[in-house]
């Protein structure tokens, strides 16, 4: 009886997480130490991603209660083994948080956006290989600013030559 109430509490917590997030990414976490896991959890929570270890059957029960059953049928593989579930506002945010946590022990299996779209492991790996958003903004800014800087330098050179010609003609 006591175990049943614990399972019900775990399912209701999982349902709350599912309802409060737009994406879920299950990851294999075998071989990660407790200290590393604590650091990953802390980093991910600062990025707006919640990491939870939930029994697979209990998560499937929570998903079945909150998501359409056809979505569960389209999952690419069954949820087996030691899985860590990342809940967040988007697949991109989760993948970015996991990649910036710098852990080689977490291996995302696939992602699921909660209206029902399944994101493959290859897509998540490609997202995880992208540089951080700050670096991307710096690259875009440089791409936009570089031609303007070159134009400004060219106009200054033309103006200084014209000024030098005027000075020579005056003397």
């Amino acid at each position: 009886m006591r175990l049943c109430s614990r399972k019900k509490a775990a399912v209701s917590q999982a349902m709350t997480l599912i309802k409060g997030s737009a994406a879920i990414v299950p990851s294999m976490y075998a071989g990660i130490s407790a200290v590393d896991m604590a650091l990953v959890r802390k980093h991910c929570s600062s990025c707006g991603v919640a990491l939870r270890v939930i029994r697979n059957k209990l998560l499937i029960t929570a998903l079945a209660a909150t998501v359409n059953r056809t979505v569960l049928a389209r999952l690419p593989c069954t949820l087996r083994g030691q899985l860590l579930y990342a809940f967040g506002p988007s697949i991109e945010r989760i993948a970015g948080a996991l990649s910036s946590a710098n852990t080689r022990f977490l291996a995302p299996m696939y992602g699921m956006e909660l209206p029902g779209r399944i994101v493959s492991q290859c897509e998540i790996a490609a997202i995880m290989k992208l540089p951080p958003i700050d670096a991307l903004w710096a690259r875009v800014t440089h791409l936009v600013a570089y031609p303007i800087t070159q134009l400004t330098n060219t106009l200054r050179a033309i103006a200084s030559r014209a000024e030098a010609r005027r000075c020579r003609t005056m003397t």
Side-chain angles (χ1 to χ4, degrees):
M1 183 74 170
R2 185 172 174 199
L3 187 62
C4 184
S5 65
R6 283 186 183 174
K7 286 183 180 179
K8 286 181 183 178
V11 169
S12 68
Q13 285 178 346
M15 287 173 63
T16 304
L17 282 169
I18 292 167
K19 289 177 182 175
S21 57
I24 301 173
V25 175
S27 299
M28 300 291 287
Y29 73 96
I32 190 168
S33 69
V35 174
D36 289 338
M37 181 64 82
L39 291 173
V40 170
R41 282 180 195 255
K42 184 177 179 181
H43 174 74
C44 287
S45 69
S46 69
C47 295
V49 174
L51 296 180
R52 298 288 187 272
V53 176
I54 303 169
R55 290 187 178 258
N56 299 330
K57 288 184 180 182
L58 298 180
L59 183 79
I60 291 171
T61 303
L63 281 171
T66 55
V67 180
N68 191 349
R69 290 188 188 268
T70 58
V71 173
L72 290 176
R74 289 186 302 152
L75 292 179
C77 60
T78 58
L79 300 174
R80 293 179 189 257
Q82 292 181 325
L83 297 180
L84 172 75
Y85 296 96
F87 299 88
S90 68
I91 294 287
E92 293 80 13
R93 175 81 60 93
I94 294 171
L98 291 177
S99 69
S100 63
N102 291 329
T103 180
R104 61 182 185 278
F105 297 109
L106 290 178
M109 296 168 49
Y110 56 86
M112 181 173 61
E113 291 179 341
L114 286 178
R117 181 175 165 257
I118 305 296
V119 179
S120 72
Q121 185 177 14
C122 297
E123 290 177 282
I124 291 178
I127 293 169
M128 290 178 75
K129 289 179 184 175
L130 290 174
I133 192 72
D134 297 338
L136 288 175
W137 276 114
R139 287 181 187 177
V140 168
T141 304
H142 177 71
L143 288 173
V144 170
Y146 183 74
I148 296 169
T149 304
Q150 292 300 320
L151 177 64
T152 305
N153 291 340
T154 304
L155 292 175
R156 282 184 187 156
I158 293 170
S160 67
R161 285 183 190 165
E163 185 67 31
R165 284 183 192 157
R166 267 193 245 143
C167 288
R168 275 189 242 148
T169 58
M170 295 185 110
T171 52

